[in-house]
Amino acid sequence: MSSSFLQILKTSKQLFDSFFESYTKKLFQPQTRITDACLYSLRAGGKRIRPIFVLNSFLNPEAVMRESGFHNHKPAYLAALAVECIHTYSLIHDDLPAMDNDDTRRGMPTCHIQFDEATAILAGDALNSISFYLLSLLEPTDPNAIRDSIQILHKGAGMNGMILGQMEDIEEEKNPSTSDQESRLCSIHEKKTGALIEASFLLGNRLRPDWLERESVISSYAKEIGLLFQITDDILDVEGNLEELGKTPGKDAKAGKLTYPSLYGLETAKKLRDESVTKAISLVSELPSLNNEFFLGLPKYIAERKK
């Protein structure tokens, strides 16, 4: 992994975290049990990978490294925070007893363990709502960008995106498919994991003046990154440990979930992961504005991650 890519990643996270800390002080007021639960989950570590996707789809790597604060590009940071709120809400609900019933997230007690189940449900609801409120504040120069951004996030996180993927995952766990498992697996993860990742890339891109000429390649690349992310997650659930993952490993196998290792075997899953890396890199190599260290380095970083 190149040191320049890792520096872009580190700087992007620092920029987002700086905005996050300053903005959420105003956003989550007045302080209540719900705001405490929201902030507990939002601040529970995490790589901030989806906000990083937003920022780097908007700014070129050189601009990221020159960035001294968020004031000149506030719409991109608002969109990044919207994505992080949606993602965190999904994790809170995913950990609930009715869903994955997990006690640990990012190495800390899950929201319903730290507070209680009802508070966790309401905190997730609040974060979902806040996400779309944040997009209403974008104030871009393009008058259609707010409408398009709301539609992008809804498509990625809504009833035909991430939520449908979660529903299909639950249905598959309860009534495992006996035929066309490959198609079923792809459908679940394109929606459950990939849809919000694609939305993150598209949101940042939509705020650029040249968004339309990049949109098709960004979309294809993001879909491949979503697939790569899920294959790697499935492999880590088999090979990872609690200390590195920050969540309980081996739960997929115990629950009998349909995953890439369970369907293809671990070695073939790793080959599919490596093929996905190659495909993602080839996609962005075709467009000069995307042929940069962030987009070229990201697939390898995801494939090599340990958590």
Side-chain angles (χ1 to χ4, degrees):
M1 186 58 53
S2 74
S3 59
S4 55
F5 170 81
L6 294 175
Q7 188 58 51
I8 293 166
L9 201 69
K10 180 181 178 181
T11 302
S12 301
K13 185 178 184 300
Q14 289 172 340
L15 288 167
F16 174 75
D17 282 341
S18 176
F19 173 76
F20 171 87
E21 288 301 330
S22 65
Y23 200 80
T24 51
K25 289 176 183 177
K26 299 177 291 184
L27 185 63
F28 291 95
Q29 291 295 332
Q31 184 179 356
T32 65
R33 184 171 175 81
I34 292 298
T35 61
D36 287 348
C38 288
L39 287 170
Y40 171 80
S41 294
L42 282 167
R43 287 174 171 158
K47 298 178 289 295
R48 308 296 195 201
I49 195 72
R50 289 158 188 81
I52 289 171
F53 293 163
V54 176
L55 294 181
N56 283 275
S57 294
F58 175 72
L59 294 167
N60 296 326
E62 298 80 9
V64 169
M65 299 307 293
R66 291 196 306 267
E67 191 86 333
S68 59
F70 54 82
H71 301 287
N72 292 332
H73 302 114
K74 190 174 178 181
Y77 288 90
L78 286 169
L81 181 55
V83 166
E84 186 69 358
C85 286
I86 279 279
H87 176 56
T88 302
Y89 124 73
S90 74
L91 298 181
I92 291 172
H93 281 192
D94 209 35
D95 290 333
L96 290 168
M99 300 280 279
D100 282 353
N101 193 23
D102 227 325
D103 293 342
T104 307
R105 170 69 66 177
R106 295 170 174 169
M108 297 172 61
T110 50
C111 190
H112 70 276
I113 296 295
Q114 182 71 16
F115 292 86
D116 56 68
E117 189 173 351
T119 302
I121 291 169
L122 293 173
D125 293 344
L127 288 170
N128 189 352
S129 173
I130 284 169
S131 301
F132 292 96
Y133 166 71
L134 290 167
L135 294 182
S136 76
L137 304 176
L138 292 182
E139 297 183 5
T141 54
D142 180 348
N144 294 323
I146 291 178
R147 177 204 65 194
D148 292 350
S149 295
I150 289 171
Q151 290 178 357
I152 287 168
L153 188 57
H154 168 68
K155 182 180 179 182
M159 64 182 180
N160 293 317
M162 179 182 69
I163 289 174
L164 180 56
Q166 289 173 322
M167 188 76 257
E168 289 181 358
D169 194 28
I170 291 169
E171 290 174 338
E172 177 64 31
E173 189 176 340
K174 290 181 178 178
N175 299 293
S177 56
T178 55
S179 62
D180 202 13
Q181 289 184 308
E182 184 175 354
S183 176
R184 186 69 169 166
L185 179 63
C186 288
S187 177
I188 290 170
H189 293 312
E190 280 176 5
K191 301 179 184 78
K192 183 179 179 182
T193 302
L196 186 57
I197 286 175
E198 183 181 4
S200 302
F201 281 102
L202 290 176
L203 277 172
N205 184 64
R206 181 60 186 84
L207 298 173
R208 290 174 59 103
D210 60 346
W211 66 275
L212 193 56
E213 67 190 60
R214 293 159 43 109
E215 187 176 49
S216 177
V217 174
I218 285 267
S219 178
S220 297
Y221 176 84
K223 284 183 171 70
E224 199 61 41
I225 291 295
L227 172 63
L228 175 58
F229 206 91
Q230 187 58 56
I231 295 173
T232 305
D233 250 10
D234 288 354
I235 292 170
L236 287 173
D237 189 71
V238 176
E239 294 188 328
N241 59 66
L242 178 62
E243 288 72 26
E244 288 184 324
L245 292 177
K247 59 182 179 180
T248 309
K251 286 191 64 106
D252 291 345
K254 290 176 184 176
K257 284 193 174 186
L258 183 61
T259 66
Y260 286 90
S262 71
L263 182 59
Y264 298 107
L266 188 59
E267 291 309 309
T268 300
K270 289 180 178 180
K271 289 180 182 178
L272 291 171
R273 176 198 61 193
D274 295 342
E275 289 170 4
S276 184
V277 170
T278 302
K279 184 176 179 181
I281 291 171
S282 69
L283 282 166
V284 290
S285 299
E286 299 170 6
L287 196 64
S289 69
L290 297 175
N291 190 359
N292 61 51
E293 289 196 78
F294 178 78
F295 283 95
L296 294 174
L298 180 63
K300 189 175 181 182
Y301 168 78
I302 291 174
E304 292 178 355
R305 67 192 175 91
K306 300 299 181 185
K307 58 181 179 179

